[in-house]
Amino acid sequence: MIDTKWAFQRYESLRAALPAAQFPLTSRSGLDLSDTTADYDAYILDAFGVLNRGETAIEGAVERMAALRALGKRLIVLTNAASYTRAEILAKYHRLGFDFDATEVVSSRDVAFANLPQLPGSQVWGAAAAFGDDFSDAPVSARVAHLAENPDLLHSAGGILLLSSARWSESNTAAVVQALQDRPRPLVVANPDLVAPREEGLSLEPGLIAHDIIAKTGLRAEFFGKPYGNAFEVALDRLTGIPRHRIAMVGDTLHTDVLGGAAAGIGTILVTDHGLFRGHEIAPFIRSSAIRPDWVVTTT
Ligand SMILES: [Mg+2]
């Protein structure tokens, strides 16, 4: 059963593979981000669980972004969403009413493509990707094709690239495990999340598939996105001139947003009402993981 406690325990079981970080001894509590504005000059915002839940904007989030801008705060969206190009992500946020521009959005997909290892010869990446993805934002030197539409790629691809779980099932995992056992190849994961909050509940994400493959093959994978420093450094590069302690990561998860933010040396704010911990008392999860945010707020 995929629920919050299950996802939390799965994240905890992976702690050795996640960055190390230091946390404050106590968290401050607030109602929303307006309570935190004396502490920070810039906010790095998670998307799912902070700005939106699935295809719906979180109530008050559009207005909060405008209010933060009016106070002179800098805003960056840092999302592990890798199913869509940055242009498509931007279009989605504009549709939901947000006014972010292209320089204010960093996706784990961008980070993965910017760091995609070179495969020998003209070998192709076999990608788990959403229907219609044309990989037009992949580096020109990389060839990427859909695993779902080219089953031969299981054997012929030079590497496996996990962008999206949209068209994935258990049988796909079994097929990739078998193919990588037959011939080990690089595995790149452009979304380290295990689950994501949608309108109808939690969806399974590429990080979960990757850890399943790793456990069954003993192979390693290269992860891009939160909680890893590769994603935070790209976001922080957009905020040069602002000291790290005056920047806060705002997110709905302890193991990606708060852990990653703390590991990057910035402040952390956990939003509890819309994402992974929606409907749950947060204190036991903080106690048991010892991942403690600087602030806990109920909404954005
Ligand atoms: Mg989230």
Side-chain angles (χ1 to χ4, degrees), residues 46-50 52 193 195-197 226 251-253 256-257 275-276:
D46 176 35
F48 279 68
V50 172
N52 62 293
D193 286 359
V195 297
K226 295 173 290 182
D252 68 300
T253 72
T256 58
D257 303 313
L276 184 59

Side-chain angles (χ1 to χ4, degrees), residues 59 66-67 77 89 106-107 113 164 169 180 271 288:
E59 198 183 334
V77 179
I89 291 171
V106 176
S107 79
F113 277 153
S164 175
S169 70
L180 291 178
V271 178
S288 122

Side-chain angles (χ1 to χ4, degrees), residues 246-294:
R246 295 290 300 173
I247 301 172
M249 176 68 215
V250 185
D252 68 300
T253 72
L254 291 170
H255 292 86
T256 58
D257 303 313
V258 175
L259 177 64
I266 61 177
T268 57
I269 303 172
L270 184 73
V271 178
T272 56
D273 264 17
H274 311 292
L276 184 59
F277 296 106
R278 173 186 164 125
H280 293 266
E281 194 201 332
I282 192 63
F285 293 103
I286 291 177
R287 228 177 2 252
S288 122
S289 64
I291 299 175
R292 191 175 297 282
D294 291 299

Side-chain angles (χ1 to χ4, degrees), residues 22-79:
Q22 300 216 303
F23 304 98
L25 295 175
T26 57
S27 302
R28 300 173 70 186
S29 303
L31 176 60
D32 59 51
L33 293 180
S34 69
D35 290 324
T36 71
T37 54
D39 286 5
Y40 305 111
D41 300 320
Y43 292 87
I44 301 178
L45 302 138
D46 176 35
F48 279 68
V50 172
L51 301 176
N52 62 293
R53 186 174 177 89
E55 300 304 311
T56 313
I58 283 168
E59 198 183 334
V62 170
E63 294 77 8
R64 180 68 54 216
M65 295 305 111
L68 292 175
R69 282 196 201 281
L71 291 170
K73 309 298 182 187
R74 298 277 306 280
L75 307 176
I76 298 286
V77 179
L78 177 58
T79 173

